[in-house]
Amino acid sequence: MAANHQILKTFGANLRHFRNEKGLSQRDLYAICNIDNAEISRMENGEVNVTLNTLAQLSEALDIPAYMLLKQ
């Protein structure tokens, strides 16, 4: 369970980092991906497990390979 929690925290930190690096707000990312602001916030806080489809949407929106969102 602890390893799963760490993966979610890593993903969330990476998502926030790359979103900020692109100069996007959570609302901007919502507009691009049609993922609710609250859901993006929960992802960034490591509170929600994302699907592969969501991972693909986010990586496309951020113009990065999907693995970058999972990289420690």
Side-chain angles (χ1 to χ4, degrees), residues 56-68:
Q57 281 182 297
L58 292 167
S59 68
E60 185 175 326
L62 296 169
D63 195 31
I64 58 170
Y67 79 87
M68 294 297 288

Side-chain angles (χ1 to χ4, degrees), residues 42-66:
R42 290 184 16 228
M43 285 181 212
E44 289 184 354
N45 289 321
E47 298 170 358
V48 64
N49 201 352
V50 301
T51 66
L52 290 175
N53 287 333
T54 300
L55 178 63
Q57 281 182 297
L58 292 167
S59 68
E60 185 175 326
L62 296 169
D63 195 31
I64 58 170

Side-chain angles (χ1 to χ4, degrees), residues 7-72:
I7 290 168
L8 295 178
K9 289 293 186 185
T10 297
F11 171 83
N14 290 339
L15 177 58
R16 180 178 291 116
H17 167 78
F18 288 112
R19 179 179 58 75
N20 287 331
E21 189 174 81
K22 296 288 183 184
L24 298 172
S25 68
Q26 289 180 349
R27 185 168 292 211
D28 295 332
L29 197 53
Y30 157 73
I32 296 167
C33 296
N34 198 28
I35 298 171
D36 185 65
N37 300 22
E39 189 73 3
I40 293 170
S41 177
R42 290 184 16 228
M43 285 181 212
E44 289 184 354
N45 289 321
E47 298 170 358
V48 64
N49 201 352
V50 301
T51 66
L52 290 175
N53 287 333
T54 300
L55 178 63
Q57 281 182 297
L58 292 167
S59 68
E60 185 175 326
L62 296 169
D63 195 31
I64 58 170
Y67 79 87
M68 294 297 288
L69 290 169
L70 302 171
K71 191 173 180 180
Q72 293 188 1

